[in-house]
């Protein structure tokens, strides 16, 4: 029991801190590499390494037809659309701004649970929804920050990615998947790697040779593969099977704080007073949603 609690604690730390940092590293990498090309490399390598690790640890790699289909579905909602398109949108949106948009995930999860499982809203939920929507409005209504149509498109696509990721969280919590979290993650990442590679070819993206990558981009890719991919995503899948989707989504109000700080420190991203107020209102709403009692 103590071991399981320790694993849950470490898994939460992984999705809090590591995923909060991935916004910075994705932003750095996407400034030089094409987004789907970047995502396909990241997930394909991470998927192969995950299978190698699972094989070394003698975990069964066999998967049933139903589990394979569920893995493909989960891969689409989490990695192909939820992450791949989000990285594309980072070309037009600041990393900290994107992290705040991603923080609306608990709001989407709550609404999906209401629609799918008919779970009634509690008082805290109603307050959280109101604050969440208010914070989002304050965030995206800043004319001085929304300077182009590309940025508006980026924000819209990010919101659709959050919806995709949220539905994936609800789906995985009930889906029949391999018992090994490494194997589950490996299948999802390999599927995403191949599909995103096809998307990169379809959109005729430029493939920059590794020898031309900058030192910062190379470090970012390695971090995204080993930590953002293998460590954090395995922790995420582990948590979805051991705690409620609502609790897992609490990462949404920790990640933005880390992302905003790192974006400000390393990328000189500016924070307006309205953005700070919007983030406080938004994250307070997320707190109300995730701290409510479960019925």
């Amino acid at each position: 029991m103590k071991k399981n609690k320790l694993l849950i604690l470490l898994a939460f730390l992984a999705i809090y801190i590591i995923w909060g940092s991935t916004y910075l590293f994705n932003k750095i990498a996407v400034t030089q590499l094409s987004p789907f090309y970047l995502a396909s490399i990241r997930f394909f390598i991470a998927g192969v390494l995950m299978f190698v690790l699972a094989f070394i640890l003698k975990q069964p790699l066999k998967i049933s037809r139903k589990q394979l289909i569920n893995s493909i579905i989960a891969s689409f909602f989490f990695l192909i659309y939820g992450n791949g398109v989000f990285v594309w949108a980072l070309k037009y949106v600041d990393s900290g701004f994107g992290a705040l948009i991603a923080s609306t995930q608990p709001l989407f999860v709550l609404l999906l649970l209401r629609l799918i499982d008919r779970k009634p809203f509690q008082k805290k939920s109603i307050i959280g929804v109101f604050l969440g929507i208010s914070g989002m409005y304050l965030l995206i209504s800043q004319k001085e920050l929304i300077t182009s149509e590309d940025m508006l498109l980026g924000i819209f696509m990010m919101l659709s990615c959050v919806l995709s990721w949220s539905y994936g969280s609800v789906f995985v919590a009930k889906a029949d998947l391999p018992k090994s979290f490494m194997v589950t993650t490996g299948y999802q990442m390999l599927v995403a790697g191949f599909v995103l590679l096809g998307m990169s070819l379809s959109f005729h993206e430029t493939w920059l040779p590794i020898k031309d990558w900058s030192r910062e981009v190379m470090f970012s890719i390695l971090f995204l593969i080993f930590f953002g991919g293998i460590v954090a995503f395995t922790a995420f899948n582990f948590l979805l099977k051991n705690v409620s989707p609502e609790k897992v989504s609490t990462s949404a109000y920790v990640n933005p704080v880390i992302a905003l700080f790192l974006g400000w420190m390393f990328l000189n991203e500016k924070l307006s007073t309205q953005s700070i107020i919007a983030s406080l209102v938004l994250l307070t709403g997320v707190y109300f949603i995730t701290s409510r009692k479960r019925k």
Side-chain angles (χ1 to χ4, degrees):
M1 183 64 72
K2 286 185 178 180
K3 182 181 179 182
N4 194 48
K5 286 185 177 180
L6 178 61
L7 286 174
I8 290 175
L9 175 62
L10 291 174
F12 269 114
L13 288 175
I15 66 171
Y16 284 171
I17 299 173
I18 295 175
W19 270 351
S21 306
T22 57
Y23 294 94
L24 169 70
F25 292 112
N26 270 312
K27 182 70 174 181
I28 292 172
V30 82
T31 56
Q32 189 176 9
L33 303 181
S34 300
F36 298 131
Y37 169 65
L38 159 65
S40 66
I41 292 174
R42 172 190 173 185
F43 292 131
F44 183 78
I45 295 176
V48 170
L49 292 175
M50 192 67 75
F51 274 118
V52 170
L53 188 58
F55 179 78
I56 292 173
L57 296 175
K58 297 181 179 180
Q59 297 187 10
L61 303 181
K62 189 176 180 181
I63 188 172
S64 68
R65 184 173 179 272
K66 185 176 182 181
Q67 288 175 336
L68 178 60
I69 292 173
N70 287 340
S71 295
I72 293 172
I73 294 172
S75 180
F76 172 79
F77 287 119
F78 286 146
L79 305 179
I80 298 168
Y81 193 92
N83 187 276
V85 176
F86 196 96
V87 171
W88 171 84
L90 279 173
K91 291 178 65 177
Y92 311 109
V93 180
D94 284 351
S95 62
F97 201 94
L100 281 172
I101 292 175
S103 71
T104 58
Q105 185 198 347
L107 173 60
F108 282 95
V109 170
L110 179 69
L111 294 174
L112 286 171
L113 289 174
R114 176 71 181 93
L115 290 172
I116 297 171
D117 294 339
R118 301 293 181 182
K119 289 191 174 183
F121 283 154
Q122 300 175 30
K123 288 183 179 179
K124 277 192 173 183
S125 299
I126 296 172
I127 296 172
V129 169
F130 174 76
L131 290 173
I133 293 175
S134 299
M136 181 52 60
Y137 174 77
L138 286 172
L139 187 66
I140 64 177
S141 64
Q142 303 177 75
K143 292 182 179 180
E144 65 273 17
L145 292 182
I146 313 301
T147 56
S148 67
E149 291 184 4
D150 284 340
M151 189 170 184
L152 279 174
L153 176 62
I155 291 171
F156 173 79
M157 295 309 294
M158 281 183 171
L159 284 170
S160 70
C161 290
V162 176
L163 176 60
S164 176
W165 192 279
S166 300
Y167 182 78
S169 298
V170 176
F171 172 80
V172 165
K174 300 178 180 180
D176 177 20
L177 292 166
K179 291 182 179 180
S180 168
F181 303 107
M182 289 184 181
V183 175
T184 295
T185 303
Y187 276 110
Q188 290 179 34
M189 287 189 168
L190 279 185
V191 169
F194 280 115
V195 173
L196 287 164
L197 182 66
M199 290 173 65
S200 179
L201 290 170
S202 299
F203 285 100
H204 304 290
E205 287 187 337
T206 301
W207 289 17
L208 189 69
I210 294 178
K211 63 183 179 64
D212 295 329
W213 294 1
S214 67
R215 185 181 301 175
E216 292 80 9
V217 168
M218 180 65 76
F219 179 82
S220 297
I221 292 291
L222 291 174
F223 180 92
L224 291 169
I225 289 172
F226 288 101
F227 292 96
I230 295 175
V231 176
F233 198 68
T234 301
F236 176 71
N237 274 295
F238 169 75
L239 287 173
L240 285 177
K241 289 297 186 182
N242 286 274
V243 299
S244 67
E246 300 100 308
K247 287 185 178 179
V248 178
S249 66
T250 56
S251 62
Y253 61 81
V254 179
N255 294 162
V257 176
I258 295 172
L260 285 167
F261 176 75
L262 294 176
W264 168 76
M265 176 174 282
F266 295 104
L267 300 178
N268 295 316
E269 293 179 352
K270 295 181 180 178
L271 275 177
S272 67
T273 302
Q274 186 169 332
S275 290
I276 294 173
I277 295 172
S279 63
L280 290 174
V281 172
L282 181 60
L283 297 181
T284 301
V286 172
Y287 168 77
F288 272 99
I289 291 172
T290 55
S291 65
R292 75 195 191 286
K293 293 182 179 179
R294 298 187 71 211
K295 289 186 179 180

